[in-house]
Amino acid sequence: MTSSDVPLDVRGVTTALSDAGVAGVTISWADNNGIPRARIVPVAALPRVAEVGVGVTPLFAVFDSSDAITFAHEGLSTPSGDVRLVPVLERLVRLAGQPALAWTPGRLVDADGGPWPYDQRAVLERQVEALAAAGLTALVGYEMEFGVYAEGGPDELVPAHPGPAYSPHALVAVDGFVADVLRDFAANGLEIGQLHAEYGPAQMELSLAATDPVTAADRQLLARQTLRAAARRHGLRLSFAPLPATAAAGNGWHIHSSLWRDGHNLLAGTAQGPGADGAAYVAGLLRDLPAVAAISAPSIGSLARLRPGFFAGVYAVWGVENREAPLRYVPGTSLLGNDHANIELKTSDASANPYLAVAALLAAGAAGVAEGLRLDPPVQSDPGSWSAEERAARGVAALPSTQAEQEDALRTNPRVTAVLGEELLGAFLAVRRSDAAAADGRSPDDVLAGLRWRY
């Protein structure tokens, strides 16, 4: 990078932060396990950091979910080298819940400031550019489920609220936390659609308003930071893990998306489904769903969460408002407007890198539009309640249920692998294999306990 790339007002931003009592800036990104990583720099150093970034090891691309480094990927097989983490200052916010800090997402570039093939945010930026070249834009929004627990021993899960599911009474026990979440989200520029006690014990959910894809991924990371700071102030612990324990409710981080052309939502249609282009978008997602899910729900915990009857989306189908379908079409209504229509990907969770997950989803759907794919009729019941013969007769298969099956689905899908590129795909798969090897021979509860607080 050169000084011409530094925003003209960076010194003014630095002065304003310092005058407001901000001591440092957290520059955050997500690794190939969906785990946020960060560097904090003194606020006075921000003008220089905006120009040249800060040094980090390229091996973050091959950290696995337990922070072990795998050298199995040839492109990152030694401890040597350095890359630069550059703040995206147009996304900088002062953290309401951590007033001595500001926060910004970061880009990873090579040592000379050029593109680095393992930078996940750049993958999504390129996919957005590809949509624009085809005359398309997208809106993306997240639903985030998480468990809220009181402080306990390292292996304890002490529910912080008693339920009942979806009841206002449940959240009285964590009223101060809820109030801080609402205030801090607003102050940090995060628009909440709704917040409530979810179905599982100690579980909550909030939804983030839809926005452009890169902003949606950035805000998902900022939402995590905001939630954790609010929880800490009230002596609470949050688990974003796909499945905190085998007896716990699974946490999905569902991705809602819509595709637009010339101001028109292609997902708009009727209560039975979208119009032709929107149907092609859904058909593209359905065709590539095993490969997309290998990125959007990639961890051992993700696979453990995929249980029939738990609204997790085990079988590769789409449905209209069918919560057992991994692709749930949400139609517009006369109350909300036809342009409210979107498709929800339920096989998505916190162990996904949000930039990669959204990029894979958009690429798969856009390919369906480009090819004019036709969409089979929706499935409106739970395929898990059918016999194996009924599923076979209707051509309904389960999504991959092991790391090896996910890898095969991803490797054999040219559209999704092209989104990642050869280098990043290699690192991503090396990390998945490292996780699988670490889990081999251990009990499910032991593996899940190790992931419980990681995300």
Side-chain angles (χ1 to χ4, degrees):
M1 297 185 69
T2 67
S3 59
S4 62
D5 295 312
V6 179
L8 295 178
D9 63 344
V10 64
R11 294 192 180 279
V13 168
T14 302
T15 299
L17 290 174
S18 181
D19 290 347
V22 174
V25 177
T26 298
I27 310 170
S28 186
W29 76 100
D31 71 7
N32 283 323
N33 314 289
I35 296 173
R37 309 290 183 177
R39 290 286 193 268
I40 296 176
V41 298
V43 69
L46 190 58
R48 178 63 175 167
V49 171
E51 184 175 3
V52 301
V54 294
V56 299
T57 172
L59 294 177
F60 276 115
V62 286
F63 270 49
D64 71 13
S65 296
S66 61
D67 290 348
I69 299 171
T70 173
F71 291 98
H73 171 56
E74 184 178 356
L76 296 170
S77 59
T78 78
S80 302
D82 200 35
V83 293
R84 308 299 292 180
L85 175 66
V86 181
V88 184
L89 288 185
E90 59 267 29
R91 297 285 162 85
L92 185 142
V93 298
R94 182 184 179 188
L95 292 171
Q98 298 173 273
L101 293 175
W103 179 96
T104 181
R107 291 189 179 94
L108 291 163
V109 299
D110 71 18
D112 294 323
W116 191 53
Y118 302 94
D119 178 39
Q120 298 95 343
R121 194 175 191 272
V123 169
L124 180 53
E125 290 173 333
R126 288 195 299 270
Q127 185 55 45
V128 170
E129 292 170 359
L131 290 182
L136 300 168
T137 59
L139 290 178
V140 172
Y142 269 90
E143 290 181 18
M144 302 168 64
E145 295 173 339
F146 51 95
V148 185
Y149 302 98
E151 292 284 0
D155 297 323
E156 288 185 287
L157 284 177
V158 182
H161 76 69
Y166 308 109
S167 169
H169 305 160
L171 298 189
V172 171
V174 289
D175 183 68
F177 168 66
V178 170
D180 278 356
V181 167
L182 293 170
R183 294 189 186 106
D184 291 354
F185 269 59
N188 289 349
L190 298 168
E191 183 182 348
I192 292 180
Q194 58 180 354
L195 181 154
H196 59 270
E198 246 293 340
Y199 185 78
Q203 195 177 35
M204 291 178 62
E205 178 184 280
L206 62 81
S207 60
L208 295 174
T211 183
D212 72 89
V214 178
T215 300
D218 287 343
R219 287 180 176 176
Q220 191 244 58
L221 292 182
L222 177 57
R224 300 195 215 191
Q225 184 84 10
T226 306
L227 284 166
R228 288 206 180 279
R232 180 64 179 170
R233 292 200 299 277
H234 295 275
L236 300 172
R237 306 174 79 189
L238 304 183
S239 179
F240 300 145
L243 192 65
T246 53
N251 295 316
W253 284 16
H254 306 160
I255 306 174
H256 290 255
S257 67
S258 57
L259 196 67
W260 297 68
R261 181 190 293 128
D262 299 329
H264 173 65
N265 182 0
L266 302 186
L267 272 293
T270 69
Q272 287 70 50
D277 282 342
Y281 179 74
V282 177
L285 286 174
L286 186 58
R287 175 180 63 179
D288 291 340
L289 186 57
V292 171
I295 295 174
S296 64
S299 68
I300 301 298
S302 303
L303 296 170
R305 172 180 166 260
L306 289 182
R307 301 172 290 182
F310 283 80
F311 291 3
V314 176
Y315 294 95
V317 299
W318 80 283
V320 179
E321 296 285 21
N322 182 356
R323 286 173 171 81
E324 278 293 342
L327 292 172
R328 171 179 169 248
Y329 177 65
V330 183
T333 66
S334 58
L335 178 63
L336 297 174
N338 210 22
D339 278 345
H340 176 75
N342 64 85
I343 189 76
E344 175 187 21
L345 175 66
K346 297 178 72 67
T347 45
S348 171
D349 59 55
S351 67
N353 180 289
Y355 303 100
L356 297 185
V358 174
L361 179 155
L362 294 176
V369 175
E371 296 175 37
L373 295 186
R374 296 178 64 85
L375 184 63
D376 289 337
V379 171
Q380 295 304 102
S381 58
D382 177 6
S385 67
W386 306 349
S387 68
E389 292 75 17
E390 287 175 307
R391 287 193 292 270
R394 297 185 62 172
V396 171
L399 291 172
S401 60
T402 67
Q403 181 274 325
E405 289 177 357
Q406 283 196 322
E407 177 169 338
D408 183 64
L410 187 52
R411 276 196 172 281
T412 57
N413 188 296
R415 290 167 296 278
V416 179
T417 56
V419 172
L420 273 66
E422 182 178 353
E423 295 98 332
L424 180 51
L425 174 66
F428 184 87
L429 292 177
V431 168
R432 303 279 70 78
R433 293 186 204 116
S434 182
D435 275 2
D440 188 39
R442 296 164 59 196
S443 71
D445 272 319
D446 184 40
V447 174
L448 295 177
L451 299 172
R452 186 173 295 154
W453 314 112
R454 303 298 290 162
Y455 307 106

